[in-house]
Amino acid sequence: MDRKTHWEQVYSTRKPHEVGWYQAYPEIPLHLIASTGITKNEAIIDVGGGASNLVDALLENGYRDVTVLDLSAAALEATQARLGATASQVKWLVADVTCFTPPQPYQVWHDRAVFHFLTDASDRQRYLEAARAALPPGGHLIMATFALDGPPQCSGLDVVRYSPESLRQEVGDGFALAESFGGLHITPSQGKQSYTFCRFIRKK
Ligand SMILES: C[S@@+](CC[C@H](N)C(=O)[O-])C[C@H]1O[C@@H](n2cnc3c(N)ncnc32)[C@H](O)[C@@H]1O
């Protein structure tokens, strides 16, 4: 099954709060985005945002230029339905991040649990090309992946697990690591998943 079919099936058969990566309140993503110090008018893209309620929280916090990109149209439709009329304040992109040409610059690229699905080096390379094209110098690349002691799979798909150091090496010389830490995600079925969180800054 190709990845688009996989993710469309996930979001067509499960409610947003039933998936393992569901979080009621995106506390760590919000903390990392606040750490960037961007103004409320600067652009943020949530890559592979799915049905996450990060977009709701960003709008509630006053961010005015928010884009959500996902491979799954069903995921974005679920998010749009939840937001109701507010959905019109957001830019929506159904796209595969590994063949994505950013339509505008972003000051923050946020990815929670997307990059770790890229098990092919060529896909990771194309993802990072898109991130470099999207982020001007000083822009922030925020990534959350499963940690080295996290699960080897997510949503039934193999993942690559990272430490802050291995993620720094993967992201490459175009970015400087600004902060990193580990954290536990508790799934809706009370499982524990160990994550690595990193914030990188695009170098000149
Ligand atoms: C584990 S979920 C995480 C969703 C969201 N970031 C969150 O924290 O709730 C992974 C998401 O990445 C999306 N995705 C997977 N591969 C992708 C790709 N190549 N391009 C864009 N989105 C992708 C999936 O559709 C799914 O919504």
Side-chain angles (χ1 to χ4, degrees):
M1 186 189 295
D2 68 27
R3 58 183 167 217
K4 165 103 175 144
T5 310
H6 172 87
W7 289 107
E8 291 294 10
Q9 207 169 81
V10 166
Y11 287 106
S12 308
T13 53
R14 295 168 76 187
K15 298 211 161 57
H17 65 274
E18 293 172 345
V19 295
W21 51 94
Y22 172 76
Q23 51 178 188
Y25 189 71
E27 193 175 335
I28 296 178
L30 284 174
H31 157 77
L32 284 163
I33 291 168
S35 300
T36 66
I38 64 161
T39 69
K40 299 290 164 91
N41 288 324
E42 287 180 291
I44 302 174
I45 183 165
D46 189 18
V47 171
S52 158
N53 48 27
L54 176 60
V55 59
D56 315 40
L58 290 172
L59 295 175
E60 278 160 23
N61 280 273
Y63 292 100
R64 286 185 276 273
D65 190 345
V66 181
T67 299
V68 184
L69 174 149
D70 204 278
L71 192 51
S72 163
L76 298 187
E77 281 158 19
T79 313
Q80 288 160 353
R82 185 180 68 237
L83 286 170
T86 320
S88 63
Q89 296 173 23
V90 177
K91 297 169 197 167
W92 305 96
L93 296 172
V94 177
D96 185 327
V97 65
T98 64
C99 29
F100 171 54
T101 304
Q104 66 171 95
Y106 300 97
Q107 218 38 49
V108 174
W109 172 293
H110 174 268
D111 164 344
R112 175 174 177 268
V114 185
F115 186 74
H116 67 191
F117 288 110
L118 303 180
T119 53
D120 284 355
S122 56
D123 279 342
R124 293 195 293 274
Q125 221 166 55
R126 284 196 294 270
Y127 174 111
L128 288 166
E129 269 165 31
R132 284 191 296 267
L135 292 165
H140 300 258
L141 172 62
I142 294 172
M143 298 171 95
T145 68
F146 281 173
L148 296 182
D149 59 346
Q153 289 198 324
C154 180
S155 188
L157 303 174
D158 288 344
V159 301
V160 182
R161 294 172 288 181
Y162 294 94
S163 64
E165 178 52 23
S166 65
L167 192 55
R168 189 190 66 74
Q169 282 180 18
E170 189 66 49
V171 160
D173 286 341
F175 292 92
L177 183 60
E179 64 175 312
S180 66
F181 51 89
L184 264 193
H185 168 62
I186 309 296
T187 70
S189 58
Q190 301 306 305
K192 289 184 182 152
Q193 296 179 333
S194 186
Y195 271 75
T196 289
F197 296 91
C198 288
R199 179 169 62 86
F200 300 94
I201 301 181
R202 180 96 164 95
K203 289 182 185 171
K204 290 208 171 74

